[in-house]
């Protein structure tokens, strides 16, 4: 080899070595990680027995006595990251500089992007003294705590209606009381958000609650506390008053970072991430169901005396058993790699949670097998129809997603009813019914074609045909559901009536996995008329008119009306089930005429109106609505939305509309959407207790919030949604503001708000059909009791479906996926490839050096 060529090759390899070396440097402490590294060091510091090295709040850079050298991360799956931090610090006893390595875990919480502020979502925080008019009525009393121990407390008695005073603990070291939770959150908010980290002294920190109130319905804290800083060097004390309003999301959903067992600073009392897998969404071995798929022989009458106690299986061991069971059943299971991340995607980019695994059944029988495998092995599962749950609850980091995307068959029956599989989207359903009926029938449902029928139907289903035909769930004639043991249940007005009642407004994912629906299709005129107009002046008066006059006057033939408040105006669009020539007369009789100089109207078929209301430029013809992947690829975005109903007994006052308009003007990414319901429509003609959908007499359903493109805008815009909700809440019906279950938001977690007077009956039905609370997400309806109850005789586990044999379909096995126990994370694979490249390059360079 020539010298020139050899030299060039050596230069190239040196460059490759440099690049490989850079590729391996994945452990640098980034700017974003600096606070996390400081938090962990301060946490370790705080748990030392003899002395703390510089206090538990380190902010003086000049006298700081530690440095974070590196922070390496490893994705463990399920939203959990293993972190290894290496520090250099000055030991307070030996006075020597020493090395320290701390291993800790963090768990992703999309509802709270900053792990240092978990388990709460901070709604408002600031340095502020408690106002003088915030009177305290303090008394000392003997109180029985949750552990049935009596102790002396100071009680504060003057909290608002619906809330209770946070008991101020005399023993400030008592953990996990409401007072402790509030103080801990105030302290963390100050240290990791409000405080100027570069000013002031290193200090010991203590916090005392001045006054705080807790709402057990909304899980919201609000109050004042004082943070006291005692400087290490001077002993000088500084007091900082803090106001905090925050909602408790729960540690199972949003745990704080924790030091792991075996690492310096570990404390088992604060081990929430490790335990949340097994005591939260995964079933502990002590409660693992033992219902076999086939009869098994009785166990031996006696155990050998030397038999050790049964070992608690780890999450991965349980999952491996469940995956093996499903693969033995020839089911398609995705357990790792890029495809698992891809199949874990939901509509809201704000939630990038990755499921434990994803199984893709092709029939009702397959769903039963999958649930049975997981139930018997102590692994929870959640259903995914379309993935449009606003908070993405069809993908949870501690559960297996049962994705129904291979179950999309739609069959129009001779009696004009339709059999619809649970993985069908609204666009696919609309297209198939229109095509199979040759334009004769329509379907009641929402406007977004990519939404799955599952959650939409079970939660009610609001759209542009509601006022004439009722909710989407009112069209359901019967359904097939897989229960927590993998058994098939039929529900209809004559069979399992209570389950059928709960399936219209009870929400998805609460009672089981619905695999098939039989629904009514509806007759609409060959031509319908869409209309729209814009109101740009006297907006408050217009909104008051639309609330106070129109609901009582609107003709049901105006089957849907939607108002959008944005950009300093109100945009109105609607659907009239009649010809264009009669539209003005109907609008006049409905008291909706004369507010705009121009009303745009267009006569078209129903399917064309569905395309128009979808408002996606790429959806131009019926078959485009069925192209779900194209829609999701182009229009998937970040969003945070909330909701409420306007109830006839509590209409919104003028100032509420003024606040809405002000919010919309100041918030270019926000919108407020009103959907007309009202007493003259079909929805209200059905009694509020005839189905689980309780808010049938509402004047409007309202959803509001923000949509955005850049992840870094998330906290700011979520805060804007929270701001409007806080402003609207005082004007809404109490004790819990009425919310739309299909617009579920973790930041407003009150189930009473979503289900109203029907909540208790729903809990009773949950107890009957899912007594162990197997199907659950952060806002699931809980059973009345979580005891292991026997299966109701109505389920009849030894028999198949009462009617309609399962639809057979081939199973596509994903042979490319490795077993769960052999998963390699993307991060570790990248590190491995970088090391391999470096090793090969070094070897080649050495050879060339010896031969050239």
């Amino acid at each position: 080899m020539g010298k020139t060529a050899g030299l060039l090759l050596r230069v190239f390899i040196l460059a490759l070595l440099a690049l490989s070396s850079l590729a391996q440097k994945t452990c640098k402490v980034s700017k974003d990680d600096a606070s996390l590294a400081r938090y962990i060091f301060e946490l370790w510091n705080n748990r030392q027995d003899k002395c703390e090295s510089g206090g538990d709040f380190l902010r003086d850079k000049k006298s700081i006595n530690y440095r974070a050298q590196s922070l390496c991360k490893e994705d463990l799956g399920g939203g959990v990251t293993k972190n290894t931090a290496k520090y250099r610090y000055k030991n307070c006893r030996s006075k020597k500089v020493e090395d320290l390595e701390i291993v800790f875990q963090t768990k992703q919480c999309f509802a709270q992007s900053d792990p240092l502020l978990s388990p709460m979502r901070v709604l408002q925080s600031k340095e502020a003294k408690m106002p003088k008019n915030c009177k305290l009525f303090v008394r000392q009393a003997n109180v029985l705590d949750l552990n049935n121990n009596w102790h002396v407390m100071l009680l504060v008695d003057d909290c608002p209606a619906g809330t209770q005073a946070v008991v101020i603990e005399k023993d400030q070291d008592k953990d996990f009381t409401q007072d402790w939770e509030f103080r801990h959150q105030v302290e963390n908010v100050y240290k990791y958000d409000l405080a100027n980290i570069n000013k002031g002294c290193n200090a010991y920190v203590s916090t005392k609650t001045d006054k705080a109130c807790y709402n057990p319905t909304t899980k919201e804290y609000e109050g004042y506390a004082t943070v006291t800083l005692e400087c290490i060097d001077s002993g000088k004390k500084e007091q900082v008053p803090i106001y905090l309003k925050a909602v408790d999301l729960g540690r199972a959903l949003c745990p704080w970072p924790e030091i792991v067992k075996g690492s310096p600073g570990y404390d088992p009392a604060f081990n929430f991430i490790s335990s949340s897998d097994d005591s939260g969404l995964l079933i502990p071995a002590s409660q693992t169901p033992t219902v076999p798929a086939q009869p098994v022989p009785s166990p031996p009458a006696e155990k050998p005396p030397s038999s050790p106690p049964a070992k608690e299986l780890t999450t991965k061991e349980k999952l491996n058993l469940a995956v093996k069971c499903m693969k033995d059943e020839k089911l398609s299971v995705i357990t790792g790699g890029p495809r698992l991340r891809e199949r874990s995607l939901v509509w809201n980019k704000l939630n990038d949670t990755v499921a434990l695994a994803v199984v893709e059944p092709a029939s009702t029988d397959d769903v039963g097998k999958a649930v049975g495998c997981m139930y018997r092995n102590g692994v929870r599962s959640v259903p995914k129809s379309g993935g449009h749950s606003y908070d993405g609850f069809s993908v949870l980091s501690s559960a297996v997603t049962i994705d129904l995307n291979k179950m999309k068959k739609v069959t129009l029956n001779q009696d004009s009813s339709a059999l619809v599989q649970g993985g069908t989207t609204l666009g696919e359903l609309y297209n198939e019914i229109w095509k199979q009926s040759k334009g004769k029938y329509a379907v009641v449902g929402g406007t977004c074609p990519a939404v799955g029928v599952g959650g939409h139907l079970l939660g009610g289903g609001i759209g542009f045909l509601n006022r004439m035909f009722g909710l989407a769930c009112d069209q359901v004639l019967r359904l097939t559901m897989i229960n927590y043991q993998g058994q098939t249940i039929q529900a209809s007005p004559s069979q399992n009536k209570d389950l059928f009642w709960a399936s219209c407004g009870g929400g998805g994912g609460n009672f089981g996995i619905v695999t098939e629906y039989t629904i009514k299709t509806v007759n609409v005129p060959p031509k319908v008329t869409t209309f729209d107009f814009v109101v740009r002046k006297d907006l408050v008066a217009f909104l008051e008119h639309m609330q106070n006059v129109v609901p009582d006057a609107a003709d049901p033939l105006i089957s849907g009306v939607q108002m959008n408040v944005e950009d300093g105006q109100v945009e109105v669009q609607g659907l009239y089930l009649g010809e264009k020539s009669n539209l003005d007369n109907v609008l006049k009789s409905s008291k909706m005429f004369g507010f705009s100089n121009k009303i745009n109207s267009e006569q078209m078929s129903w399917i064309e109106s569905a395309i128009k209301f979808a408002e996606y430029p790429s959806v131009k013809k019926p078959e485009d609505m069925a192209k779900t992947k194209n829609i999701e690829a182009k229009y998937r975005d970040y969003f945070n939305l909330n909701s409420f109903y306007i109830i006839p007994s509590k209409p919104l006052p003028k100032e509420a509309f003024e606040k809405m308009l002000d919010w919309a003007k100041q918030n270019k990414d926000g919108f407020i959407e009103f959907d007309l319901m009202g007493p003259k429509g079909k929805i209200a003609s059905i009694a509020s207790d005839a189905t689980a959908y309780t808010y049938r007499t509402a004047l409007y359903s309202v959803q509001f919030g923000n949509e955005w493109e850049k992840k870094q805008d998330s906290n700011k815009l979520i805060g804007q949604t929270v701001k409007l909700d806080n402003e609207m809440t005082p004007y809404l019906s109490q004790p819990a503001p009425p919310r739309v279950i299909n617009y579920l938001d973790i930041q407003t977690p009150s189930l009473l708000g979503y289900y109203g007077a029907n909540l208790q009956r729903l809990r009773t039905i949950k107890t009957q059909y899912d007594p162990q609370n197997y199907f659950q997400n952060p806002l699931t309806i809980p059973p009345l009791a979580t005891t292991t109850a026997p299966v109701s005789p109505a389920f009849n586990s030894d028999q198949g479906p009462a009617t309609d044999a399962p639809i057979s379909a081939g199973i596509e096995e994903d042979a490319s996926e490795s077993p769960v126990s052999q998963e390699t994370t993307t991060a570790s694979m990248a590190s491995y490839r970088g090391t391999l490249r470096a090793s090969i390059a070094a070897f080649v360079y050495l050879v060339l050096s010896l031969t050239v």
Side-chain angles (χ1 to χ4, degrees):
M1 182 182 293
K3 289 186 177 181
T4 302
L7 181 62
L8 289 173
L9 186 56
R10 276 190 286 181
V11 170
F12 171 76
I13 294 172
L14 281 171
L16 182 61
L17 276 167
L19 289 172
S20 299
S21 177
L22 287 172
Q24 294 177 71
K25 291 181 180 179
T26 58
C27 298
K28 184 178 179 181
V29 182
S30 68
K31 185 177 180 181
D32 291 339
D33 289 332
S35 292
L36 179 61
R38 179 168 68 93
Y39 174 97
I40 292 298
F41 185 82
E42 291 174 345
L43 182 62
W44 168 81
N45 232 354
N46 201 31
R47 293 177 180 174
Q48 302 311 298
D49 293 332
K50 295 184 179 179
C51 64
E52 293 175 359
S53 183
D56 54 12
F57 182 34
L58 308 173
R59 59 175 178 170
D60 182 4
K61 283 190 174 180
K62 293 180 180 179
S63 60
I64 208 85
N65 60 357
Y66 85 99
R67 182 178 178 182
Q69 302 285 91
S70 63
L71 179 61
C72 300
K73 298 182 178 183
E74 179 185 355
D75 183 0
L76 299 182
V80 178
T81 300
K82 177 184 175 182
N83 305 268
T84 302
K86 294 184 178 180
Y87 302 89
R88 295 277 287 168
Y89 78 104
K90 186 175 182 180
N91 188 299
C92 61
R93 293 183 292 276
S94 67
K95 307 302 181 183
K96 294 181 180 179
V97 176
E98 298 181 1
D99 293 323
L100 172 68
E101 180 176 291
I102 302 176
V103 182
F104 65 97
Q105 294 185 138
T106 54
K107 183 174 181 181
Q108 177 194 44
C109 170
F110 88 97
Q112 166 58 278
S113 59
D114 187 349
L116 306 187
L117 301 182
S118 289
M120 297 191 193
R121 171 151 195 84
V122 177
L123 306 179
Q124 188 178 359
S125 62
K126 58 185 178 181
E127 290 190 25
K129 290 184 178 180
M130 188 168 65
K132 292 182 180 180
N133 60 358
C134 187
K135 297 179 181 178
L136 290 173
F137 297 93
V138 183
R139 60 186 173 86
Q140 187 168 301
N142 291 317
V143 177
L144 188 67
D145 67 15
L146 297 176
N147 297 319
N148 293 319
N149 297 318
W150 289 96
H151 54 108
V152 177
M153 291 184 179
L154 298 176
L155 300 185
V156 184
D157 293 327
D158 61 336
C159 285
T163 68
Q164 61 193 35
V166 170
V167 175
I168 300 175
E169 298 282 353
K170 194 170 183 179
D171 178 6
Q172 294 284 289
D173 293 327
K174 189 175 179 62
D175 295 338
F176 305 118
T177 64
Q178 288 181 356
D179 179 38
W180 183 89
E181 297 280 9
F182 182 74
R183 285 187 285 111
H184 181 273
Q185 193 68 22
V186 166
E187 194 166 300
N188 275 5
V189 165
Y190 174 70
K191 289 165 65 174
Y192 303 108
D193 187 21
L194 298 179
N196 187 332
I197 190 57
N198 297 320
K199 282 191 175 182
C201 63
N202 294 339
Y204 295 106
V205 180
S206 61
T207 305
K208 181 181 180 299
T209 302
D210 298 321
K211 175 187 176 181
C213 301
Y214 175 71
N215 189 323
T217 302
T218 63
K219 301 180 181 178
E220 190 175 288
Y221 288 86
E222 183 176 13
Y224 295 85
T226 300
V227 176
T228 300
L229 309 173
E230 183 178 353
C231 295
I232 299 297
D233 297 331
S234 65
K236 181 180 177 181
K237 290 187 178 181
E238 177 186 353
Q239 290 192 327
V240 184
I242 301 292
Y243 166 81
L244 175 69
K245 184 175 184 180
V247 60
D248 188 355
L249 302 172
R251 290 192 181 84
L253 179 67
C254 295
W256 51 46
E258 67 176 30
I259 298 174
V260 303
K261 188 175 182 179
S263 180
Y266 170 71
D267 186 340
F270 296 87
N271 187 22
F272 294 105
I273 295 176
S274 300
S275 63
S276 67
D277 281 348
D278 287 334
S279 63
L281 291 175
L282 287 176
I283 308 172
S286 58
Q287 298 176 20
T288 299
T290 55
V291 179
Q294 302 291 336
V296 296
S298 299
E302 296 181 1
K303 284 186 177 181
S306 59
S307 295
K311 178 187 174 184
E312 173 79 20
L313 296 179
T314 66
T315 296
K316 185 163 284 189
E317 287 170 336
K318 293 177 184 179
L319 184 58
N320 279 330
L321 290 172
V323 168
K324 182 181 184 303
C325 174
M326 288 187 283
K327 290 196 171 185
D328 287 346
E329 295 285 359
K330 308 300 182 187
L331 299 178
S332 172
V333 187
I334 304 165
T335 58
R339 191 164 175 229
L340 177 61
R341 186 169 292 278
E342 176 194 343
R343 295 309 304 158
S344 295
L345 289 179
V346 293
W347 182 247
N348 191 349
K349 289 174 74 172
L350 196 62
N351 186 354
D352 56 0
T353 302
V354 177
L356 281 178
V358 174
V359 57
E360 298 180 313
S363 66
T364 295
D365 187 47
D366 284 351
V367 176
K369 290 175 181 176
V371 174
C373 284
M374 285 182 277
Y375 173 77
R376 291 191 296 274
N377 287 290
V379 180
R380 293 198 188 276
S381 57
V382 292
K384 180 182 181 184
S385 176
H388 280 240
S389 159
Y390 277 12
D391 281 352
F393 287 159
S394 56
V395 175
L396 300 175
S397 61
S398 297
V400 172
T401 292
I402 297 184
D403 191 337
L404 305 182
N405 73 88
K406 291 184 178 180
M407 299 177 62
K408 294 177 175 289
K409 188 172 182 180
V410 176
T411 304
L412 182 65
N413 300 320
Q414 290 186 349
D415 62 357
S416 77
S417 67
L419 182 66
V420 184
Q421 285 191 308
T424 309
T425 64
L426 293 179
E428 292 162 345
L429 175 60
Y430 297 165
N431 178 55
E432 280 298 316
I433 294 301
W434 188 254
K435 184 170 62 177
Q436 292 183 36
S437 72
K438 298 181 180 179
K440 185 177 180 181
Y441 299 122
V443 180
V444 177
T447 59
C448 181
V451 167
V453 297
H456 188 71
L457 288 173
L458 296 170
I462 294 172
F464 276 94
L465 291 176
N466 289 155
R467 299 191 71 252
M468 187 66 184
F469 299 105
L471 298 164
C473 70
D474 293 331
Q475 318 310 312
V476 177
L477 300 171
R478 58 184 173 273
L479 56 84
T480 301
M481 187 187 84
I482 298 299
N483 78 346
Y484 69 106
Q485 293 176 318
Q487 301 160 339
T488 304
I489 303 171
Q490 303 287 333
S492 69
S494 61
Q495 187 178 13
N496 292 309
K497 299 177 184 179
D498 48 359
L499 179 60
F500 187 75
W501 176 91
S503 298
C504 184
N510 279 312
F511 308 102
I513 301 179
V514 180
T515 59
E516 292 178 351
Y517 305 83
T518 300
I519 64 169
K520 292 183 286 186
T521 60
V522 297
N523 277 303
V524 293
K527 294 295 180 181
V528 299
T529 304
T530 64
F531 63 90
D532 62 85
F533 58 88
V534 178
V535 180
R536 294 187 173 88
K537 61 181 181 179
D538 300 326
L539 299 184
V540 172
F542 173 70
L543 290 172
E544 287 186 296
H545 174 84
M546 291 296 290
Q547 173 189 255
N548 301 331
V549 177
V550 170
D552 289 320
D555 192 318
L557 286 173
I558 297 182
S559 60
V561 175
Q562 189 178 92
M563 298 189 296
N564 285 283
V565 179
E566 54 186 329
D567 300 326
Q569 61 189 25
V570 179
E571 301 171 1
V572 181
Q573 60 178 342
L575 180 65
Y576 166 54
L577 300 182
E579 296 185 353
K580 179 178 177 178
S581 59
N582 198 39
L583 176 64
D584 285 357
N585 291 331
V586 176
L587 287 177
K588 287 176 182 177
S589 66
S590 300
K591 309 298 183 184
M592 293 176 60
F593 195 79
F595 294 95
S596 176
N597 294 330
K598 181 181 181 182
I599 296 178
N600 303 306
S601 60
E602 188 177 359
Q603 192 166 288
M604 60 185 69
S605 65
W606 166 77
I607 196 69
E608 290 172 325
S609 75
I611 293 170
K612 179 178 180 178
F613 291 133
E615 296 184 340
Y616 290 130
S618 66
V619 178
K620 299 177 180 178
K621 49 187 182 294
E623 53 266 35
D624 290 341
M625 291 200 297
K627 297 175 181 178
T628 303
K629 289 185 178 180
N630 290 348
I631 294 172
E632 291 179 339
K634 290 182 178 181
Y635 305 112
R636 184 171 170 260
D637 226 332
Y638 297 92
F639 64 89
N640 176 238
L641 305 176
N642 209 323
S643 68
F644 60 84
Y645 290 98
I646 301 177
I647 304 299
S649 61
K650 198 171 178 64
L652 295 181
K654 178 181 179 180
E655 55 265 30
F657 291 120
E658 290 172 341
K659 289 181 178 179
M660 285 182 179
L661 291 166
D662 287 343
W663 180 87
K665 285 180 183 178
Q666 298 168 15
N667 193 11
K668 65 180 180 62
D669 295 293
F671 71 92
I672 306 169
E673 179 182 292
F674 297 74
D675 285 287
L676 177 63
M677 296 172 67
K680 291 191 71 174
K682 178 69 173 179
I683 299 173
S685 69
I686 300 172
S688 295
D689 60 356
T691 69
Y693 194 95
T694 191
Y695 297 114
R696 290 184 173 273
T697 61
L699 304 177
Y700 286 88
S701 70
V702 182
Q703 68 169 319
F704 60 90
N706 290 272
E707 296 182 7
W708 62 96
E709 296 179 357
K710 297 179 181 178
K711 187 175 182 179
Q712 59 264 35
D713 294 334
S714 298
N715 280 344
K716 180 184 75 173
L717 294 173
I718 290 172
Q720 287 296 322
T721 305
V722 171
K723 179 177 182 291
L724 182 58
D725 184 59
N726 289 340
E727 291 179 345
M728 290 298 104
T729 297
Y731 304 117
L732 303 178
S733 180
Q734 300 296 332
R739 310 282 185 182
V740 184
I741 185 60
N742 276 356
Y743 307 150
L744 204 65
D745 184 4
I746 189 64
Q747 294 171 121
T748 49
S750 169
L751 295 182
L752 184 61
Y754 291 110
Y755 300 111
N758 289 334
L759 177 59
Q760 192 68 7
R761 184 175 175 187
L762 284 166
R763 292 191 65 190
T764 301
I765 295 168
K766 172 77 169 181
T767 306
Q768 179 181 354
Y769 289 90
D770 185 14
Q772 297 178 5
N773 201 21
Y774 173 77
F775 293 108
Q776 61 175 256
N777 61 55
L779 292 180
T780 306
I781 296 170
L784 293 174
T786 55
T787 56
T788 306
V791 178
S792 166
F795 291 52
N796 200 347
S797 60
D798 295 329
Q799 296 181 2
T803 59
D804 299 328
I807 299 170
S808 60
I811 307 298
E812 180 185 347
E813 185 75 19
D814 183 13
S816 66
E817 302 297 341
S818 60
V820 177
S821 59
Q822 298 175 13
E823 283 184 20
T824 306
T825 64
T826 303
S828 61
M829 281 297 292
S831 177
Y832 169 77
R833 287 192 292 267
T835 304
L836 183 62
R837 285 196 302 269
S839 300
I840 294 172
F843 176 77
V844 173
Y845 182 78
L846 177 63
V847 171
L848 288 171
S849 297
L850 295 173
T851 57
V852 175

